[in-house]
Amino acid sequence: MYNDTFMYAQPENTPIYRRLKWFIYTLITLTISVGLYYGINWLFEWEYAYAVFLLLLIPLYQLILGIFLSYKYTRYTLNQSTLEMSSGAYFMERKVVPIDLMQSVRIEQGCIMKRFNLAVVTVYTRGDTVVLPYMTTDEAERIATSIIATIKEMHYGRN
């Protein structure tokens, strides 16, 4: 159980789920952007209202790249005393969470995620949370069980 490396391998349904999620976010962002564009243009009759519309598209661009790249560069490892996770599309973020600080482990699934048999494992500590990326439901159960067993063994000396 020690030094279990859970190298992230995307389930085959993950890209479909991410594209659906991206489509929903894009639709919301474009609706807000177009509404603001016409609202500013109608209220102020400003000839440069298109500039506001273009500035509002920058978060959309970052959202598109973030969704597609962030999970590609995610790795996590569970060893005897820590859970280590590194991720990031633009900036690398590395979290090291000691096992003795972990308080609970939760498997999260939304209604769309259930349809694609995907889950996310969230590990809660005293002051932080670590979210392990999309994986199959069976893999999430295996990882959560492994983390709970490691916590029990460290705190109570047994499985």
Side-chain angles (χ1 to χ4, degrees), residues 27-127:
L27 192 61
I28 291 169
T29 304
L30 282 176
T31 303
I32 292 170
S33 298
V34 169
L36 285 174
Y37 169 74
Y38 283 113
I40 289 172
N41 201 15
W42 178 70
L43 285 175
F44 301 113
E45 296 179 8
W46 190 37
E47 63 185 73
Y48 297 108
Y50 69 89
V52 173
F53 178 72
L54 292 177
L55 285 174
L56 289 171
L57 290 180
I58 291 173
L60 180 65
Y61 172 73
Q62 291 177 340
L63 177 72
I64 292 168
L65 283 180
I67 287 175
F68 285 109
L69 294 178
S70 64
Y71 293 104
K72 183 177 181 180
Y73 300 107
T74 301
R75 302 285 181 262
Y76 43 93
T77 305
L78 177 67
N79 60 31
Q80 184 176 6
S81 59
T82 61
L83 172 66
E84 301 175 21
M85 186 179 123
S86 62
S87 67
Y90 302 114
F91 302 101
M92 236 9 208
E93 179 184 4
R94 184 168 185 247
K95 288 186 179 184
V96 179
V97 180
I99 298 289
D100 59 343
L101 293 181
M102 292 182 188
Q103 291 184 330
S104 65
V105 179
R106 181 176 171 183
I107 298 174
E108 298 177 7
Q109 258 187 325
C111 59
I112 298 174
M113 290 174 74
K114 282 182 184 178
R115 173 116 171 101
F116 291 106
N117 193 28
L118 296 173
V120 173
V121 175
T122 305
V123 178
Y124 295 95
T125 65
R126 294 181 190 151

Side-chain angles (χ1 to χ4, degrees), residues 136-153:
T136 62
T137 307
D138 297 334
E139 182 75 11
E141 290 285 339
R142 185 180 74 81
I143 290 173
T145 304
S146 179
I147 292 172
I148 291 169
T150 305
I151 292 170
K152 283 182 180 179
E153 186 173 326

